[in-house]
Amino acid sequence: MKRGREEREEETVPVKKIKIEQKVPSSSSSSHSSSLFDHLPFELQCRIFSLISGFNTPHAYLLVNRTWNLLFPQNASSLNLVKYSERIDDDILLRICMRSPLLEKITLGKRGVHLKVTQKGLAHLSSLSRLKSLNFISCELTRDTLCILAKKLEKVETMNLTWCEITDQCMESVPLFTRLKHLSLQDSPISDNGLVWLEGMHLLSSLNFSFCASITDKGVSHLIRSVKSNHIPKALKSLNLSGCLEVTDVTLRQIGDNLIKLKVLHLTGCKNISMDGKNYIRSSLPDCKVYSDSNYTPFKRRIFV
């Protein structure tokens, strides 16, 4: 009986071994493929990725999931992190800088969202030497952080600091961005004293002071008059004073007499500006488009803690 069993085992057809080749997914397929990993909580995914070493190797980029590829595209030139702002912390921001060293534009923050990134974390952006556009939305920034970024990011031409609670003290670091052409300080608590720091920035072509309620005729007029020798009146093409309730016809006359290259002027919500002031601008600067609505009521400024 034992012998019969051995004979049957000998007659068994040998199993053919099949060689299974594991193909590394391409970057395009990995970004569209779905996996169980994609369904994990975002914070857990980022924590796992932060513990993985070897992010600088090409194959490492291909072995991550869809979320990682969408959030941290390899060598991207532009990155918008608004959607993920409430989840990003210092460690994740550092990984972004490591993975995309060629970034030229980055947008971080979201109105009404508390950003977990600290001043130390924001300083990681100083490693992105190719940055030309720096956009912060409702981010807490200090003078020292802006100073660190300015010293390293020598190519920045556009800086958007909307809802960032920029103070007169913070403005001290703005002139350190020597190539700055476009600056937005929308809804910031800066006063006339803060505008003084913009006097020597001769490349500025666009300024946005909308809803900066503490700015008055004194600050804007002084800025316009004092920078004539620095050619800002020749460079400035767009000026936004919407919601600046303390601005009057005095400022409009300074604009009409000095900003000869101005093409766009926003005055929406400036209730202390008369029709005579607007007509003076139109006659002095016939090529300038003036946007104004005297019936517009600016929203009440909200501060998020």
Side-chain angles (χ1 to χ4, degrees):
M1 190 171 178
K2 184 177 180 181
R3 182 178 180 183
R5 185 184 301 173
E6 292 175 353
E7 290 177 353
R8 285 195 301 271
E9 291 177 354
E10 291 176 358
E11 293 175 357
T12 303
V13 179
V15 179
K16 183 178 180 180
K17 294 183 179 180
I18 301 175
K19 184 178 180 180
I20 301 177
E21 296 182 357
Q22 293 183 345
K23 295 183 178 180
V24 178
S26 61
S27 58
S28 59
S29 62
S30 62
S31 62
H32 296 286
S33 61
S34 178
S35 66
L36 293 176
F37 201 87
D38 288 317
H39 299 287
L40 291 176
F42 180 86
E43 290 79 3
L44 181 56
Q45 292 183 31
C46 291
R47 182 55 55 192
I48 293 174
F49 293 141
S50 68
L51 298 175
I52 299 175
S53 60
F55 273 107
N56 293 325
T57 60
H59 293 292
Y61 300 129
L62 306 178
L63 299 178
V64 295
N65 76 323
R66 178 174 53 189
T67 302
W68 186 258
N69 280 285
L70 290 175
L71 182 58
F72 312 113
Q74 180 184 1
N75 293 330
S77 61
S78 178
L79 195 56
N80 189 334
L81 301 173
V82 172
K83 182 179 179 181
Y84 305 98
S85 294
E86 59 186 348
R87 301 169 177 178
I88 294 177
D89 57 18
D90 292 355
D91 191 42
I92 295 175
L93 190 58
L94 174 60
R95 295 291 175 178
I96 293 174
C97 296
M98 293 173 59
R99 181 169 168 81
S100 303
L102 304 181
L103 274 177
E104 295 182 1
K105 178 181 180 180
I106 188 168
T107 303
L108 177 65
K110 185 177 181 181
R111 191 179 186 193
V113 172
H114 177 69
L115 198 65
K116 296 179 181 178
V117 180
T118 66
Q119 301 302 307
K120 181 180 179 180
L122 291 173
H124 292 322
L125 297 174
S126 62
S127 64
L128 304 176
S129 59
R130 297 195 180 190
L131 268 184
K132 294 182 179 180
S133 180
L134 193 57
N135 304 280
F136 294 121
I137 303 174
S138 194
C139 295
E140 182 181 349
L141 294 167
T142 65
R143 177 184 59 182
D144 293 338
T145 299
L146 287 174
C147 184
I148 292 173
L149 294 176
K151 289 180 179 180
K152 297 291 184 179
L153 306 179
E154 299 178 351
K155 297 183 179 181
V156 171
E157 297 178 354
T158 299
M159 188 158 62
N160 182 357
L161 303 177
T162 299
W163 302 314
C164 287
E165 300 296 323
I166 299 301
T167 63
D168 293 341
Q169 187 181 37
C170 293
M171 291 295 292
E172 295 180 29
S173 300
V174 174
L176 298 178
F177 294 90
T178 55
R179 296 190 181 185
L180 201 61
K181 296 180 180 179
H182 311 282
L183 175 63
S184 176
L185 298 168
Q186 180 179 335
D187 201 15
S188 295
I190 60 171
S191 68
D192 294 337
N193 294 329
L195 298 186
V196 174
W197 295 99
L198 301 179
E199 293 181 4
M201 304 186 70
H202 63 280
L203 295 179
L204 285 172
S205 64
S206 174
L207 283 172
N208 184 354
F209 298 133
S210 59
F211 304 105
C212 294
S214 298
I215 290 179
T216 69
D217 287 331
K218 179 181 178 181
V220 179
S221 298
H222 177 75
L223 175 63
I224 294 173
R225 291 195 308 269
S226 63
V227 296
K228 293 183 69 173
S229 59
N230 292 321
H231 308 294
I232 287 184
K234 296 182 180 180
L236 197 61
K237 296 180 180 179
S238 177
L239 179 61
N240 193 335
L241 297 174
S242 297
C244 296
L245 302 180
E246 300 300 321
V247 171
T248 69
D249 292 349
V250 174
T251 292
L252 296 191
R253 290 191 174 276
Q254 290 294 331
I255 293 174
D257 294 339
N258 296 289
L259 302 184
I260 57 178
K261 295 294 183 180
L262 196 67
K263 300 297 181 184
V264 179
L265 177 62
H266 292 270
L267 300 172
T268 300
C270 297
K271 293 187 174 183
N272 288 320
I273 289 178
S274 68
M275 186 56 67
D276 291 338
K278 297 175 186 177
N279 290 335
Y280 186 82
I281 287 290
R282 293 188 176 100
S283 61
S284 302
L285 306 173
D287 295 330
C288 180
K289 292 183 178 180
V290 180
Y291 297 92
S292 64
D293 184 357
S294 57
N295 296 322
Y296 178 83
T297 302
F299 58 84
K300 185 177 180 181
R301 199 165 172 275
R302 293 183 294 174
I303 300 177
F304 297 95
V305 180

